[in-house]
Amino acid sequence: MTLDARILGIETSCDETAAAVVDARGAVHASVVSSQLDIHSVYGGVVPELASREHLRNIVPVVRQALEEADCAYRDLSAVAVTAGPGLAGALLVGITYAKGISFAAGIPLIGVNHLEGHIHAVLLDAMRESREIEFPTLALIVSGGHTHLYLAERGEGANDLRYRLLARTRDDAIGEAYDKVAVTLGFGYPGGPVIDKLAAYGVPAKEPFTIPSMKGNPLDFSFSGYKTAAIRWREARLLDREIQARRELRERCAAPTLEQWLEVTPRETLDLLASFQQTAGDNVEANCRAALAQTGARSLIVSGGVACNSALRARLRDSRFPAPAWFPEPQLSTDNAVMIAAAAFPRLARKEFSGYSLNPLPGMRLESE
Ligand code: KG4
Ligand code: ZN
């Protein structure tokens, strides 16, 4: 494999249709992400059937645009990489089927990639581009709308070749799901992470009503469903219908309300609730990462997934009092994208470890190296 080798990455595991062209040096020649947010936000979450239909509609123009932006023909590619799982079966199938078609027609290898490994490679790619060394073994925390997983990652044989051990995961909702459900419960709409992130800074966090659950069995595991329930109870104990209605009307009026518009329809008590939620969820993540660092002796922490965009989480894990250096990808590479899928395929290209045309969606695909 030469440094000029280029991989076309394709990602369709959830509600983003994405394609990217990345080379072995880590240079991104194109990255196209077509979001389905407008379609799913009406329902307060991702509707799998609608996601598959939208991927079908978008996959051809998205891949074509990526190749055009990269000024690249199929014959210039060394491989096509596609998310094989975990994710929604029907959504994954669209990307996999299209990638197989490209592989067959262009005579280039097909590489099925684990979406979670993709998120981890978003951080490795940033480090490679900035010639920065990540200290191994590292903890890898993936925090998104579908996942809350904590791994121990050690170096494998080749460059950027890692081996993983699952240390902890959520037993119920993912942390992004908790952000989204708290937001929907209070009329902020879907997705909730970005708006709660902005507004929480204007509230004063109290201890109530959120608590960090203590986990039987593996104490490093997470549980976020209690946060949603606490927000629902908090809302039920108050007369918030008019306040919530005002926020719904704001969302109907404007696709992307400004901070000032949100603040106009969000009284202090609600801002304090959002601050408490963000603080407790952050305390929970930080405590588990500290415990995992102490338990494993890992020398750094890498964080990826949509919730890695959260400003408070970035600040607390990058604080000098946190016991290890914490690395985050730039925000566009934190949320779902295809750059990370192409990046994760390079070690496999170097090993000539290709997928056959029997590659099928693996909705529950795991990451641990057996
Ligand atoms: O990785 P991602 O794009 O898709 C999944 O694989 O789920 O993550 C989306 C999730 C949503 O739950 C969204 O609310 C959350 O990431 N999110 C945030 C922020 N930006 C996105 N959560 C907290 N703070 C943010 N700034
Ligand atoms: Zn993801």
Side-chain angles (χ1 to χ4, degrees):
M1 184 180 73
T2 67
L3 286 175
D4 294 327
R6 290 178 177 202
I7 294 184
L8 168 69
I10 296 179
E11 154 66 35
T12 63
S13 68
C14 190
D15 60 344
E16 253 104 36
T17 316
V21 178
V22 178
D23 72 25
R25 292 186 181 86
V28 176
H29 296 265
S31 174
V32 181
V33 180
S34 167
S35 171
Q36 306 175 3
L37 259 187
D38 297 350
I39 287 147
H40 300 289
S41 60
V42 182
Y43 302 94
V46 177
V47 183
E49 288 76 9
L50 294 184
S52 314
R53 197 188 68 187
E54 287 307 302
H55 286 308
L56 268 178
R57 227 199 284 263
N58 294 333
I59 186 85
V60 175
V62 163
V63 170
R64 192 173 290 160
Q65 191 185 335
L67 290 172
E68 271 169 23
E69 280 179 20
D71 197 14
C72 188
Y74 289 130
R75 64 173 179 278
D76 303 325
L77 296 169
S78 302
V80 53
V82 63
T83 307
L88 303 169
L92 290 164
L93 188 61
V94 176
I96 292 175
T97 308
Y98 197 63
K100 281 183 192 171
I102 292 174
S103 161
F104 185 73
I108 53 173
L110 174 72
I111 302 178
V113 170
N114 185 306
H115 180 81
L116 302 173
E117 182 159 39
H119 275 302
I120 292 170
H121 276 263
V123 188
L124 303 185
L125 184 81
D126 263 358
M128 185 159 76
R129 290 193 302 194
E130 293 167 15
S131 305
R132 181 164 33 77
E133 282 291 321
I134 291 181
E135 304 84 341
F136 284 92
T138 185
L139 294 183
L141 174 69
I142 296 157
V143 277
S144 73
H147 310 281
T148 311
H149 284 54
L150 183 61
Y151 294 93
L152 179 68
E154 314 222 28
R155 273 196 197 287
E157 273 131 47
N160 277 353
D161 191 11
L162 301 186
R163 307 192 68 74
Y164 308 93
R165 179 155 68 85
L166 182 67
L167 298 174
R169 55 175 296 162
T170 180
R171 300 219 186 136
D172 40 56
D173 292 350
I175 182 168
E177 209 174 336
Y179 267 92
D180 295 335
K181 287 179 176 169
V182 168
V184 168
T185 300
L186 296 171
F188 290 101
Y190 170 87
V195 54
I196 294 183
D197 188 3
K198 280 197 210 107
L199 292 180
Y202 291 81
V204 179
K207 281 256 175 292
E208 295 289 315
F210 303 103
T211 48
I212 299 179
S214 63
M215 307 303 293
K216 293 210 177 69
N218 180 359
L220 294 179
D221 270 353
F222 299 91
S223 164
F224 287 101
S225 62
Y227 291 65
K228 166 196 67 189
T229 315
I232 293 173
R233 296 239 170 83
W234 183 87
R235 176 193 148 160
E236 281 170 356
R238 285 160 184 81
L239 294 168
L240 294 187
D241 289 357
R242 281 182 48 198
E243 177 188 327
I244 288 171
Q245 186 55 28
R247 287 197 279 271
R248 291 215 177 104
E249 283 167 13
L250 172 62
R251 285 194 288 121
E252 276 161 24
R253 270 201 325 273
C254 317
T258 62
L259 175 61
E260 287 69 31
Q261 286 174 313
W262 279 124
L263 286 170
E264 273 167 27
V265 290
T266 310
R268 165 140 305 281
E269 204 187 7
T270 303
L271 292 172
D272 290 348
L273 178 94
L274 297 180
S276 305
F277 164 69
Q278 177 147 289
Q279 169 119 328
T280 317
D283 283 347
N284 192 346
V285 170
E286 183 179 341
N288 291 25
C289 289
R290 281 176 177 268
L293 284 169
Q295 184 178 311
T296 59
R299 298 171 59 211
S300 60
L301 166 66
I302 63 186
V303 189
S304 192
V307 183
C309 295
N310 188 267
S311 55
L313 188 67
R314 282 181 182 238
R316 67 160 66 224
L317 296 177
R318 280 180 169 160
D319 190 282
S320 57
R321 283 163 296 184
F322 189 73
W327 305 110
F328 292 77
E330 58 178 86
Q332 301 94 291
L333 292 185
S334 297
T335 51
D336 287 351
N337 65 85
V339 171
M340 66 187 200
I341 301 303
F346 276 100
R348 306 265 301 279
L349 177 63
R351 287 201 302 268
K352 296 197 168 39
E353 193 183 305
F354 303 132
S355 307
Y357 291 136
S358 57
L359 180 71
N360 271 321
L362 298 164
M365 191 177 190
R366 292 158 68 108
L367 181 56
E368 299 93 301
S369 324
E370 247 63 62

